[in-house]
Amino acid sequence: MTHLTRRGVLGTAALLAAPALIRPAFAADTVKLGCLFSSSGTMANLEGRLNHVVRMAADAINGRGGVNGRQIEVLTSDPASDWPLYAQVGRQMLQQEKVAALFGCWTSVSRKSVLPVVEQNDGLLFYPLHFEGDENSKNVVYVNSPPASSVLPAVDYLMGPDGVGAKRFFMIGSDYVWPRTINKQLKGYWKSKGIPESAWREEYVPFGFSNFQTLVNQVRSFASQPGGQAIVVLTVVGSSIPDFLREFANQGISATDVPILGLDMVEADLEGLDTGKLAGHLNCWAYLQAAKGERNQKFLADWAAYVKAKNVPFSADTVIDPMVSAYDSVHLWALAAAKAGSFAVPEVRKAFAGLSFDDPSGYTLTMTGENNYVSRGVFIGSVNEKRGFDVLWQSPNAPKPVPFSPYG
Amino acid sequence: MADPLRALLALCCLALLTVPASAAPLDRAAFAADLCGDGAAQVRGAEGLVQAAGDLAADDLAFAGGLLGALAERRLACPAEGALLLGRPGAPEGRDALTGATRPAAEARAPVLGLRQRAAVETARGTVALLTGPDPAARVAGLAVLERRIATVPAAVLDRARDAETDAALKGTITGLAHAAALSSPDPARRRAAIAAVAASPSGAAQARLAALKGDPAYSADPAFRAALDAGLAQVSRAVAVGDGLAVFYNGLSFASILFMAAAGLAIIFGLMGVINLAQGEFIMLGAYATYGVQEAFRRLAPGLLDLYLLAAVPVAFAAVALVGIAVEALILRHLYRRPLMSLLATWAVSLFLVNLVRVTVGTQNLQFVMPAYVSGGVPLYADFVMTWNRLFAIGFAAATLVLTLLILRRTPLGLDIRAVTQNRDMAACLGLPTRRVDRLAFGLGSGLAGLAGVALCPIYSVNPGMGSGFIADSFMVVVLGGVGSLIGTLVAALGVGGANVLIEPVSGAVAAKVIVLVGIILFLQRRPEGLFAVRRRR
C-alpha cells in the first residue's frame, strides 16, 4: 500500500514538475520554428517572455497569409536554465521536428553550448541578445549588437562631457564568458585611450550571488580615492542585478555620486525595486521601452493585447530589448524565407544580404552579405522613478556592427 | 586653468564676500529658459543659481526651487515659449512658470536629465532647501546634498544659511562645514582650522581630500601646516579603519543571520528525523509569498496600516508554511522514514512541484514589495560605515527567532519530546512518547521557521519562484558544520561561515571566497565528522 502511494505521489509530482520538453507538433502543411527559451530556473523571468513574443510575431505573419503559402507553427521548449539542455533540445528540434530555424538563448553560455549543434546540423539560430562578440558563425544570426555598437558608445558617453567625465572604473560581473570578455575588451579600450591600469578594478561573483554588502563597500572606498570620477560597469546577470541595485541604494550611494552602467539591466529587472533612489543609473541597448515613434506605440499595444488575449503570465506593460529583438528575428527570417522562396537554410542564408526591417525602436535594421550581423541603433537609458528607463542618448543612425573587437 | 584667470576668479569671490548683499533679482525668464535648454544650458542655469544664491531674495529662491523640483521630477514641460509646471508627469496642461496662466502641454518637450545635469540640479535644489526649507529636517536634507559636493558651493551660501539658522545643532553643523570648505583659503590659520574641521567628520572622501594636500607647497614650507595635516590625516585614517572594521563586523553578522534563518528549520528537521529536506528553500520562498499575500490584504483592507504588514506577516507566514510542512509530512514523508534516500528524492520532487505551482499561479516576475521606512535605506554611523535597515531587521529577526526556538525546545513539553526523540527515538517510543506526532509537529516547526526566514528575506532579496534554490546548499553546509540537530551549533556555524565569507571576499574575490569556505568546511569535517556540536546519543 505504502509502496503504491509513494510511487503515485512521486509520479504525479514529477509530471507536474517537469513539463514536456517540447510541445508536440500536430498540424500538417506548416513550417515549424523552434524556441529555446527557459521558462523555469534562474532565467525564467526574462527568457520566458520571449517564447510569447515569438508566437505573437508568428501569429501576425500567419494573419497575413504566412510565408511562401505555409502557416508558421511555433514549437516552444523549456531548457530550464540548464546550459547543456539547450544543446540537447536544440538537436532534438533540428533533427526530429525539422524546424526551419531556432530562436533562442539568453546567456552566452547557452549560446556557446548550442553553437556546435546548429553547425553540425546546418541549422539556423537567431540570437536576440547583445553579447560579447568575437564570434562569427554562418549558422547563427546575431540579431542584437556586439560590444562595439552597444557597450563602447555607452562607456564613451560616460567618459565624455555629456556624461560624468568618468576616469576610473569598477567592473563587477557574474563569473562567466560574457562579463569576462566584455571587461577584457573594455580594458583594452581604456588602454588605447591612455588610461592607466590603476584606474580600474575587476571583481566577479558566482551566478545567483546576492550578498553584495562587501562589494558595495569596496565600490565606495574605490570611489573616494583620488584620480577622478569613478563609475561601476555592472555585468552581473539574473537576480543578482536587483539585489546589487537594492544594496547600492540602501548604502546611500546615488547615481550622481557613482553611476552604474548596467549592461544587462532591462526594464524587467527593476520590477519590485524602489527606483526613486536609483534614478539616473544607466543601461545601453538597441531598444528601450521609452523609444519614440508610432511603430513602438503599436508594438506596445500589440503586446498588451496579446498578453490579455492569451492570458500570458507576464506583465502587459513591460517590454524589454530582447523581446523586440526576438520579434525582429522572426520577421527577418520570414523576409529572408519569402525572398528565397524556400525554407532551406542555405537558400535563406543567401537571402540575408540586403534585407531590412523597420522595427519598433524607430531604426531600420539592415543586413549585409558580409556576415550574419545586423545593423541596429543604440540607446542609452537612464533609470527613472517609474521603474523604467528614459532615453538619455540615442545614436543618429544604425552603426555597422564590428564582430571582432580590436581591443580584446 | 591659467593663473591670471584663477587670480581673477579669486578676486571676484573676494569682491562678492566684501560687498554687502546687493540682492540683484533673479532673471526668472532667463532661468526658466536655461532649464528648458540643452544639457549645457541646464548646467549653466543650475550652477548660476548656486553661485548667486547667497544674495537672492527669498521669493526668487522659492521660484527657482519650484522649477528645479519640477525638472527633477519630470513635471517641467518646455513648449516653444516659456516653461510649464505640470501637476504630475505627463499631464495634458500646466501652469506657466512666469505668469501662472494655464496652458496646454500637448506639444511641449519634457526634458530628461543627464547625469551631469542631475548633479547640478541636485546641488541647486539642496541650496534652495538649505536656505528656504520650512523646517530643520528639510534644511538638514539640503545640507546633506551640499556636503557631497562641498567644493562647488560658494562660501556666501553657507554664511547666509548659518546666519539665518535658528536650530542650534544645525547651525553648528553648517559652521563646521563652512570651516571645512576653506581648505584652499589663502589664510594659513583658516586652512589649519579647515583641516581640523575635515578631520572631525572622517570618511574615505575626507581622507582623499587631506591626502591631496600633501602635495601642496605649504606642506614642505610651513611646519605648523604640516603638523596640522599629519595629525588630521592620522585621525581620519584611524577613524576610517575603525569604520571599515565595524562594516566587516556588521556584514558578517547580517550574512550570518540570513544563513542562520535559512538553516534553523533544517537543523530541527534533519536532526530529528534524518530527513534531508531539499524543499526547505522552497518553504522559504512560500514564506516570502505569504508575506506578499499579507501585504496585498493590507493594501485592500487597511491601506493606512500598510507599513506594518511585515510584522503582521510573521505569524501568517509561520502558520501557512508550517501547515504546508505538516501536509507534506503526512502525505509523503511518513511513509519513507526507513528509506532516507527516497525521502531525499521525495522532498526534491516537492520542491520542484512547489516552484512550478507558484510559477503557474503567480508568475515568474519579482514581486513588488512596499518597503516601509524601517527596512529601506540606512544611516551613516561612523566614518564610512553605513548601517542598512534591512540587514538590521534581518539580524534582529534572527535573534528573536533564535530565542523563541530555544524557549520552545528547552521550556515546553513539545520541546522536551523533540529533544527526547532526537536523542533516542526507540527509547522515547518505549517510554510512551507518540513519536509519530512529535515528528509531525517538529516538521511543522522546522517548516514554520523556514517561513519566518522568508519574511526576513523579503526586504533584502528579490522574491520570485526560483529564490529558494540559492539557499539550500548554504543551509546544508551550515547544518552539517554545526553538528546535525544542534541549534546552537547551527548558530555558531552560521557565524563562522558568514564571517569567513565576509573576511575572505575583499582579499580574493567572491568566487574564491565560496570555494575557500567550502574547502575549509570539508577539511574540518574530515577531522570531526560529527560537526562542531554533536548531540550526544546512545548508539
Side-chain angles (χ1 to χ4, degrees):
Chain A
M1 185 62 214
T2 50
H3 186 75
L4 271 181
T5 314
R6 175 169 64 243
R7 191 194 283 167
V9 167
L10 282 180
T12 320
L15 266 182
L16 279 164
L21 279 179
I22 299 178
R23 306 271 152 77
F26 35 84
D29 240 22
T30 56
V31 56
K32 293 178 192 169
L33 298 183
C35 286
L36 291 175
F37 297 113
S38 295
S39 40
S40 62
T42 47
M43 302 307 293
N45 186 32
L46 296 165
E47 285 188 23
R49 300 161 201 254
L50 306 192
N51 282 319
H52 300 286
V53 145
V54 169
R55 279 183 193 277
M56 180 177 108
D59 284 358
I61 293 169
N62 285 339
R64 296 198 300 255
V67 185
N68 299 342
R70 305 253 292 265
Q71 292 278 300
I72 302 175
E73 185 188 340
V74 176
L75 310 185
T76 54
S77 62
D78 182 12
S81 309
D82 179 14
W83 320 135
L85 205 52
Y86 281 79
Q88 194 186 322
V89 176
R91 180 177 296 121
Q92 210 175 330
M93 282 192 164
L94 287 170
Q95 292 178 347
Q96 292 171 13
E97 304 288 341
K98 311 272 183 221
V99 296
L102 289 169
F103 298 84
C105 306
W106 182 295
T107 56
S108 288
V109 201
S110 55
R111 187 192 74 250
K112 291 274 186 203
S113 51
V114 178
L115 189 63
V117 172
V118 285
E119 287 187 341
Q120 281 157 17
N121 295 289
D122 199 19
L124 207 50
L125 170 71
F126 285 80
Y127 178 63
L129 260 285
H130 74 185
F131 74 123
E132 73 278 5
D134 286 1
E135 185 184 294
N136 196 358
S137 164
K138 64 184 174 51
N139 297 97
V140 181
V141 182
Y142 304 92
V143 184
N144 218 310
S145 320
S149 11
S150 59
V151 177
L152 291 191
V155 171
D156 265 339
Y157 175 86
L158 274 167
M159 289 165 68
D162 287 336
V164 287
K167 300 259 185 314
R168 297 164 66 244
F169 309 89
F170 200 117
M171 297 170 264
I172 303 178
S174 293
D175 198 11
Y176 76 111
V177 54
W178 178 70
R180 284 195 180 267
T181 317
I182 293 270
N183 288 343
K184 197 171 100 198
Q185 293 176 8
L186 281 177
K187 286 185 288 184
Y189 182 65
W190 291 325
K191 251 185 217 147
S192 77
K193 294 254 167 185
I195 292 175
E197 210 162 304
S198 58
W200 64 73
R201 241 184 100 174
E202 211 177 346
E203 290 287 343
Y204 294 95
V205 299
F207 262 115
F209 187 78
S210 48
N211 206 49
F212 281 104
Q213 298 178 91
T214 313
L215 270 171
V216 173
N217 274 335
Q218 287 176 32
V219 169
R220 205 192 356 222
S221 74
F222 178 80
S224 68
Q225 284 154 24
Q229 172 73 44
I231 65 165
V232 172
V233 180
L234 189 72
T235 43
V236 300
V237 294
S239 63
S240 294
I241 297 174
D243 291 341
F244 179 81
L245 293 177
R246 184 179 288 125
E247 182 67 33
F248 205 74
N250 272 349
Q251 293 209 15
I253 313 178
S254 71
T256 47
D257 298 330
V258 185
I260 299 171
L261 172 62
L263 293 182
D264 200 41
M265 189 158 81
V266 291
E267 285 83 349
D269 288 314
L270 303 178
E271 284 170 356
L273 284 178
D274 169 17
T275 52
K277 291 180 190 159
L278 294 166
H281 292 305
L282 304 180
N283 72 349
C284 62
W285 282 99
Y287 165 87
L288 289 179
Q289 191 173 349
K292 292 264 184 311
E294 267 169 34
R295 296 206 301 256
N296 190 30
Q297 293 309 320
K298 178 170 182 309
F299 182 78
L300 292 172
D302 284 355
W303 172 247
Y306 189 83
V307 166
K308 211 168 154 219
K310 305 274 170 161
N311 208 6
V312 173
F314 290 102
S315 156
D317 43 18
T318 306
V319 168
I320 57 180
D321 171 311
M323 283 169 66
V324 170
S325 301
Y327 172 86
D328 294 344
S329 306
V330 180
H331 282 283
L332 278 181
W333 171 82
L335 287 172
K339 185 175 160 195
S342 153
F343 297 117
V345 171
E347 303 299 315
V348 172
R349 186 162 45 218
K350 264 184 238 152
F352 284 145
L355 276 192
S356 69
F357 175 64
D358 293 335
D359 92 330
S361 68
Y363 293 94
T364 299
L365 324 170
T366 51
M367 290 188 77
T368 59
E370 215 174 301
N371 51 32
N372 287 344
Y373 279 72
V374 177
S375 286
R376 309 268 312 254
V378 190
F379 291 83
I380 296 178
S382 158
V383 175
N384 63 23
E385 284 78 3
K386 293 174 298 182
R387 302 189 186 83
F389 292 91
D390 294 324
V391 178
L392 208 53
W393 178 87
Q394 62 183 100
S395 61
N397 48 27
K400 191 171 177 314
V402 184
F404 287 86
S405 167
Y407 304 108
Chain B
M1 196 189 295
D3 269 352
L5 194 58
R6 187 181 284 175
L8 195 67
L9 268 179
L11 267 179
C12 290
C13 290
L14 278 178
L16 269 178
L17 280 177
T18 47
V19 173
S22 55
L26 177 73
D27 182 351
R28 294 187 177 193
F31 182 68
D34 273 350
L35 291 195
C36 269
D38 60 0
Q42 287 174 332
V43 171
R44 191 174 63 227
E47 284 180 349
L49 180 84
V50 174
Q51 293 305 321
D55 303 323
L56 285 178
D59 62 327
D60 275 342
L61 282 174
F63 168 83
L67 270 186
L68 289 164
L71 177 59
E73 287 156 18
R74 306 287 317 272
R75 290 185 294 105
L76 187 72
C78 295
E81 283 289 309
L84 294 181
L85 294 167
L86 310 180
R88 56 179 174 77
E93 56 179 27
R95 219 157 34 75
D96 190 288
L98 295 172
T99 61
T102 304
R103 284 202 282 152
E107 298 295 311
R109 194 174 54 88
V112 177
L113 286 179
L115 277 170
R116 211 168 110 74
Q117 293 78 25
R118 191 179 286 275
V121 168
E122 263 178 21
T123 313
R125 286 184 82 190
T127 309
V128 173
L130 177 65
L131 293 177
T132 63
D135 53 84
R139 297 196 289 272
V140 166
L143 188 67
V145 174
L146 294 194
E147 208 173 345
R148 284 190 161 125
R149 281 176 279 276
I150 192 65
T152 61
V153 180
V157 169
L158 291 176
D159 289 345
R160 176 174 171 181
R162 184 192 55 212
D163 294 342
E165 188 51 62
T166 49
D167 184 272
L170 184 52
K171 195 170 183 130
T173 319
I174 300 176
T175 314
L177 204 59
H179 276 166
L183 265 188
S184 49
S185 154
D187 173 10
R190 279 193 74 182
R191 268 191 112 175
R192 285 198 298 275
I195 291 173
V198 170
S201 55
S203 68
Q207 192 176 12
R209 278 180 80 192
L210 290 185
L213 285 182
K214 279 202 161 184
D216 196 280
Y219 186 70
S220 47
D222 179 357
F225 180 81
R226 189 188 318 162
L229 185 59
D230 285 345
L233 256 179
Q235 187 188 347
V236 173
S237 352
R238 215 165 33 237
V240 168
V242 171
D244 287 351
L246 283 175
V248 168
F249 178 73
Y250 182 74
N251 294 350
L253 195 62
S254 72
F255 188 38
S257 51
I258 291 167
L259 287 175
F260 173 76
M261 293 288 315
L266 200 63
I268 290 174
I269 294 174
F270 196 12
L272 181 68
M273 291 170 271
V275 170
I276 297 179
N277 180 18
L278 285 181
Q280 190 78 5
E282 278 61 40
F283 286 173
I284 295 176
M285 182 263 292
L286 286 185
Y289 273 79
T291 312
Y292 181 71
V294 172
Q295 177 194 256
E296 291 307 293
F298 265 66
R299 206 196 285 278
R300 300 260 160 77
L301 305 175
L305 300 175
L306 189 57
D307 275 2
L308 296 177
Y309 77 89
L310 267 179
L311 303 177
V314 170
V316 178
F318 182 86
V321 181
L323 280 179
V324 173
I326 287 175
V328 168
E329 203 271 353
L331 290 174
I332 307 169
L333 285 175
R334 79 188 157 96
H335 306 294
L336 304 173
Y337 282 142
R338 303 280 165 200
R339 308 171 72 179
L341 195 62
M342 285 303 279
S343 68
L344 180 140
L345 283 177
T347 52
W348 187 39
V350 169
S351 86
L352 290 175
F353 174 77
L354 289 177
V355 169
N356 282 304
L357 187 73
V358 173
R359 203 159 65 83
V360 171
T361 51
V362 190
T364 52
Q365 72 282 9
N366 290 335
L367 292 187
Q368 186 83 49
F369 281 95
V370 175
M371 286 299 151
Y374 55 86
V375 285
S376 74
V379 56
L381 270 196
Y382 186 69
D384 278 338
F385 170 47
V386 178
M387 197 164 73
T388 43
W389 295 127
N390 60 353
R391 307 265 172 180
L392 192 66
F393 179 77
I395 294 174
F397 203 96
T401 311
L402 173 68
V403 170
L404 271 177
T405 316
L406 279 180
L407 279 180
I408 291 177
L409 287 182
R410 298 274 163 84
R411 292 274 184 271
T412 63
L414 173 68
L416 188 65
D417 292 354
I418 290 181
R419 280 182 293 142
V421 176
T422 312
Q423 285 181 13
N424 195 327
R425 171 175 294 271
D426 295 336
M427 185 66 77
C430 286
L431 290 171
L433 281 186
T435 51
R436 285 300 193 221
R437 220 184 105 232
V438 173
D439 281 343
R440 190 158 303 164
L441 287 176
F443 201 90
L445 176 65
S447 315
L449 286 177
L452 290 187
V455 180
L457 291 174
C458 283
I460 300 182
Y461 293 153
S462 313
V463 174
N464 54 47
M467 72 181 283
S469 58
F471 295 108
I472 199 71
D474 281 346
S475 26
F476 268 105
M477 239 157 53
V478 168
V479 168
V480 173
L481 178 64
V484 174
S486 159
L487 201 63
I488 295 298
T490 307
L491 174 71
V492 174
L495 285 170
V497 171
N501 255 310
V502 168
L503 282 176
I504 301 172
E505 233 174 70
V507 183
S508 51
V511 182
K514 283 229 150 176
V515 176
I516 292 172
V517 169
L518 188 62
V519 169
I521 290 176
I522 292 172
L523 289 180
F524 180 84
L525 289 177
Q526 291 283 322
R527 313 257 329 155
R528 211 181 139 85
E530 68 273 25
L532 284 167
F533 292 77
V535 178
R536 268 188 227 100
R537 63 178 89 206
R538 214 177 270 273
R539 290 177 199 277

